[in-house]
Amino acid sequence: MNDRIARGERREPSFGYERGESHVDGDMRLSPDDRPTRFRNAPAPPEPSRQLRNPPKRDKRGGGGGGGGKRRGRRSRRTFLGGLFYWTMVLGLWCAIGVGGLVAYHASQLPPIDQLTVPKRPPNIAILAADGSLLANRGETGGRTITIGEVPPYLPRAFVAIEDRRFYEHFGIDPIGITRALVTNLRGRGVAQGGSTLTQQLAKNLFLTQERTAARKIQEAILALWLERTYTKDQILELYLNRVYFGSGAYGVEAAAQRYFNKSARSVTIAEAAMLAGLVQAPSRLAPNRNPDAAEKRAQLVIAAMADQGFITQAAAKSALTAPAEVPERVGAGSVNYAADYVMDVLDDFIGAVEGDVTVLTTIDTKLQGSAETTLVEALSTQGAKLNASQGAVVSLAPDGAIRALIGGRDYTKSQFNRATAAHRQPGSSFKPFVYLTAIEKGMTPDTIRDDSPVSIKGWEPENYSRNFRGPVTLQTAFAHSLNTVVARLIQEVTPREVVRTAQRLGITSSLQANPSLSLGTSEVTPLEMTAAYASFANGGQSVLPYVIREVRSTNGKVVYARKANNFGPVIQPQTLAMMNTMFHAVMTGGTGSKVNLPGWEVGGKSGTTQDYRDAWFVGFTARLVTAVWVGNDDNTTMKRVTGAGLPAEIWGKYMKAAHAGAQPIPLPGGFWQGAPKTIGDGAPVADARVPAPVQPQGDSGWVRPAPQERNFFERLFGG
């Protein structure tokens, strides 16, 4: 042993046995003197215990004596559970780090939270009729913003009941809801429920796209947390109700209520509220105007959920289930949209760019609008195919220029082109009043004689509709029977350029060609222009600028624009006006408009038919309304002998009779010329007190001193 130590072989001391005692294996223990020098001064090892000196015997099964085996088993189990817990914690920590990194990455793709703001909702323009009723909404949303305080309490609760029952309990993300949806989907082996909260849906609508990706869901959750921290629950719910999509171009609950029920969200019933709440899950599939059965089944689920959560009573739920919501059929072709489109065309001129929701009060009379639409559509439906007349337009103004009805076509759903304001068509003989007005201003009178006989002007040879000639006739007779040869001679006398100036003075803004054929209405104009120009004959000779907007207000009630009475001054002198109205009245009592005269009213009018029957017009007026009717085809094809005195006059007469029903007759301002018969529609005499003194002709020519020339329309409007 000492030799081994001397050779450098060391052996660690054993403290389990007495000094000098041999190990059971035969190894010798070092005596104190044999220990290396560094151990010599070390304290003696403790006495071994009795148990160690007499170790227990192993049984044949390999276990230790007593409870040693059980303790080792328990230690093994504790070691396994401890390892499992350890590795679970490690794995969880790494998962948390990974998720945190993923969240941080996607959060970095969003704008900084301190700079995040809810984007402005696109402005809505609510267009109202003259009586304050809603005509249409314009804008990207289809309806105005509405507050929770404005709607019945059960309306927002319907959305909470079906979309997010724990809305007032969660923090923007609902783990319980997500788990419940996951379990339901696993049981159903499909996606039956979604786990998104109302806050998450709002975050998606406000900030994100509709793509279904994990990245979007992570960003959605981040933004939902921000919304919950920034806004109250009611504010979040209000934002949601005004931003969610309901189908058919309706964004927000107000737009949806107007679209599907023709009423404000403030007036919906429980059944209607339930149907709206059920829509948001699948707007296209559940739209009540397309799939009423599916929409009703979904609404029943919403009503049951509302009752189950105590938002409505069981009695109210039963009542709503027995009287489900009904979507009213949209009456007519939606002609109010033509008027609404025209409002949008001119709105910028008054208020500039629209930054927020506004309400536009118009001059449209809903009864007149509906009557004009019905009359036009019925006439074209019953006679259009037979006469090859597919389209029409109606414009009706108050004598001051306020638009009361505006129909731009037969069916807005099929064609949004506004023929009342944008279609330039030849007016035919309805343009002749501007030639006669120019002639009277040059000194002629209704009794002035001109020859109705063949005429040739540089190769142009106009003919009368009847192909017959009457010889010498008065201007009144030529006007009443629309003789083409007489008016062709008149325009040569007064010059086409002067006729252009007269038409522009009365409000025609379209380009007019100063040539002899202008007398027969060969230059194109719009129905709105013609109606406005005729209004000067109905209001005492005053200039007219047609208008449709009376007032514009913001959502807080502030007046953004209010129309002021505009007086551009007279464009027709009183004596001249009396002569013109005398001739207009002759058309209605014995000329081309006699079949549609209004008994009891002083009425003036003029028909117009273009070459090959491509356009047919009738324009007429009382002291209450000025109305123009045009009938034709968009492709300019010919109709089957449709004249202005035919189908257009029928439409005009039926509409005007309905519009004047029950109204007290009003005489035309300026009276009639006393040199001509003065009667009204039923033959009763007109009081001479309103008849101006006759103009005395000079010599045989019938000419008088010309009236002072008025400034034309553009000169009065823009100066110069």
Side-chain angles (χ1 to χ4, degrees):
M1 179 69 69
N2 291 336
D3 292 338
R4 284 193 301 177
I5 294 174
R7 288 196 303 267
E9 296 181 14
R10 294 180 0 183
R11 184 180 180 88
E12 292 296 323
S14 175
F15 297 102
Y17 302 94
E18 295 180 347
R19 288 176 298 175
E21 182 178 353
S22 299
H23 192 271
V24 292
D25 293 333
D27 284 343
M28 297 296 296
R29 284 296 173 196
L30 296 177
S31 66
D33 294 333
D34 293 332
R35 285 183 295 173
T37 305
R38 62 192 180 96
F39 291 113
R40 287 180 183 175
N41 297 325
E47 287 289 330
S49 65
R50 184 177 302 274
Q51 183 177 359
L52 291 177
R53 290 211 290 188
N54 299 289
K57 296 180 180 179
R58 298 174 181 267
D59 61 16
K60 295 180 181 180
R61 292 174 299 179
K70 294 181 180 180
R71 284 195 295 271
R72 281 194 296 272
R74 284 196 294 269
R75 283 197 299 270
S76 298
R77 285 194 295 272
R78 284 197 297 269
T79 301
F80 172 77
L81 292 175
L84 180 64
F85 175 77
Y86 171 78
W87 287 112
T88 300
M89 291 296 294
V90 170
L91 181 62
L93 179 61
W94 279 110
C95 288
I97 293 173
V99 171
L102 194 63
V103 170
Y105 169 76
H106 289 293
S108 67
Q109 307 302 308
L110 297 172
I113 292 296
D114 58 346
Q115 300 178 16
L116 201 61
T117 58
V118 171
K120 287 185 177 181
R121 187 174 184 265
N124 179 73
I125 298 93
I127 301 172
L128 310 182
D131 61 0
S133 61
L134 181 69
L135 291 177
N137 283 293
R138 286 293 183 268
E140 296 180 22
T141 57
R144 73 175 183 87
T145 301
I146 199 166
T147 64
I148 283 186
E150 294 180 75
V151 299
Y154 50 75
L155 177 58
R157 291 174 182 172
F159 290 84
V160 173
I162 195 65
E163 288 293 318
D164 189 1
R165 66 180 63 183
R166 299 187 68 254
F167 173 72
Y168 286 102
E169 301 171 20
H170 61 65
F171 51 88
I173 304 171
D174 186 8
I176 297 177
I178 294 173
T179 303
R180 182 177 62 249
L182 182 62
V183 171
T184 302
N185 294 337
L186 289 175
R187 286 177 177 175
R189 296 184 178 181
V191 181
Q193 286 188 11
S196 294
T197 64
L198 286 178
T199 314
Q200 288 176 273
Q201 294 178 41
L202 175 62
K204 177 181 65 178
N205 290 333
L206 290 176
F207 304 105
L208 304 173
T209 64
Q210 300 297 317
E211 61 178 347
R212 295 176 177 269
T213 62
R216 197 217 70 192
K217 294 295 292 185
I218 293 172
Q219 292 178 332
E220 179 184 292
I222 296 169
L223 293 168
L225 296 175
W226 175 82
L227 285 169
E228 292 278 347
R229 189 188 70 177
T230 308
Y231 298 95
T232 66
K233 288 289 187 179
D234 283 348
Q235 288 174 329
I236 291 173
L237 188 55
E238 185 175 292
L239 284 170
Y240 175 86
L241 292 176
N242 282 294
R243 303 299 180 102
V244 69
Y245 183 58
F246 289 88
S248 298
Y251 289 85
V253 69
E254 173 69 7
Q258 294 286 358
R259 176 65 183 83
Y260 295 116
F261 304 120
N262 292 336
K263 62 171 66 174
S264 171
R266 294 171 292 183
S267 306
V268 296
T269 64
I270 292 177
E272 291 167 343
M275 188 167 286
L276 291 175
L279 256 179
V280 297
Q281 183 191 57
S284 298
R285 181 171 56 86
L286 298 174
N289 58 343
R290 298 178 182 175
N291 195 348
D293 292 337
E296 175 55 28
K297 290 179 181 178
R298 178 69 173 168
Q300 292 173 358
L301 294 177
V302 177
I303 293 171
M306 294 173 70
D308 182 59
Q309 297 172 52
F311 291 154
I312 57 175
T313 64
Q314 291 294 335
K318 184 178 179 180
S319 177
L321 289 172
T322 55
E326 295 183 359
V327 178
E329 184 178 353
R330 300 181 75 87
V331 180
S335 69
V336 293
N337 288 291
Y338 289 117
D341 287 350
Y342 181 64
V343 169
M344 295 302 297
D345 289 341
V346 300
L347 184 61
D348 286 354
D349 298 336
F350 298 101
I351 66 172
V354 179
E355 299 295 338
D357 287 2
V358 295
T359 300
V360 181
L361 183 64
T362 71
T363 60
I364 298 295
D365 185 310
T366 53
K367 291 183 179 179
L368 295 181
Q369 180 77 16
S371 176
E373 175 184 6
T374 301
T375 304
L376 176 67
V377 172
E378 287 182 352
L380 292 176
S381 297
T382 57
Q383 303 182 57
K386 178 178 64 176
L387 299 174
N388 193 34
S390 61
Q391 279 296 346
V394 180
V395 179
S396 192
L397 308 182
D400 70 340
I403 299 176
R404 297 302 189 196
L406 190 146
I407 315 297
R410 182 175 182 174
D411 189 339
Y412 184 85
T413 60
K414 294 181 180 179
S415 173
Q416 290 77 52
F417 178 61
N418 197 335
R419 296 156 189 85
T421 62
H424 288 77
R425 308 293 299 219
Q426 291 185 352
S429 295
S430 63
F431 191 85
K432 289 178 180 177
F434 305 117
V435 180
Y436 281 87
L437 175 59
T438 307
I440 289 177
E441 288 177 341
K442 294 292 186 180
M444 301 184 196
T445 72
D447 288 341
T448 298
I449 303 297
R450 288 294 180 269
D451 193 26
D452 176 23
S453 60
V455 60
S456 178
I457 303 173
K458 297 182 179 179
W460 177 55
E461 299 179 352
E463 294 181 339
N464 296 327
Y465 177 77
S466 65
R467 306 296 176 118
N468 297 322
F469 302 99
R470 300 190 181 199
V473 294
T474 64
L475 296 190
Q476 180 168 313
T477 299
F479 189 89
H481 296 280
S482 199
L483 302 181
N484 292 337
T485 60
V486 174
V487 77
R489 285 186 166 90
L490 285 179
I491 198 170
Q492 283 294 93
E493 293 182 46
V494 300
T495 73
R497 186 175 298 277
E498 287 300 316
V499 173
V500 170
R501 288 176 58 85
T502 299
Q504 291 176 340
R505 191 173 79 233
L506 268 66
I508 298 296
T509 58
S510 295
S511 177
L512 302 176
Q513 302 300 316
N515 53 46
S517 66
L518 178 64
S519 60
L520 301 186
T522 55
S523 289
E524 296 176 340
V525 295
T526 68
L528 180 60
E529 288 178 274
M530 289 294 288
T531 316
Y534 271 62
S536 295
F537 299 113
N539 65 16
Q542 300 299 309
S543 176
V544 166
L545 183 65
Y547 66 96
V548 69
I549 298 176
R550 287 171 49 191
E551 186 178 84
V552 181
R553 289 180 179 267
S554 61
T555 51
N556 60 9
K558 180 181 177 181
V559 177
V560 180
Y561 164 80
R563 185 181 184 276
K564 297 179 180 179
N566 294 320
N567 184 6
F568 295 109
V571 289
I572 306 174
Q573 293 300 314
Q575 291 182 345
T576 303
L577 177 66
M579 295 181 194
M580 287 298 302
N581 282 347
T582 298
M583 293 192 294
F584 275 122
H585 188 58
V587 173
M588 305 303 296
T589 56
T592 57
S594 58
K595 293 182 179 179
V596 294
N597 193 28
L598 305 180
W601 286 83
E602 294 183 0
V603 188
K606 188 71 185 73
S607 61
T609 309
T610 62
Q611 189 175 14
D612 296 329
Y613 305 100
R614 288 188 171 89
D615 299 275
W617 297 68
F618 195 89
V619 189
F621 56 89
T622 65
R624 187 169 184 262
L625 282 177
V626 186
T627 302
V629 176
W630 166 83
V631 172
N633 295 305
D634 288 338
D635 59 3
N636 212 33
T637 55
T638 61
M639 296 178 286
K640 294 180 180 178
R641 301 185 66 84
V642 177
T643 66
L647 185 59
E650 292 178 22
I651 296 170
W652 184 94
K654 187 175 181 180
Y655 163 75
M656 290 291 276
K657 286 178 181 178
H660 289 77
Q664 183 67 30
I666 307 172
L668 285 170
F672 295 113
W673 183 59
Q674 76 172 17
K678 300 178 290 300
T679 60
I680 57 178
D682 57 1
V686 178
D688 288 341
R690 297 188 303 105
V691 180
V695 178
Q696 298 296 330
Q698 296 181 352
D700 296 335
S701 67
W703 287 77
V704 297
R705 184 180 300 277
Q709 293 296 310
E710 299 290 338
R711 292 182 301 165
N712 66 32
F713 179 79
F714 295 103
E715 290 172 338
R716 294 195 319 279
L717 187 60
F718 301 109

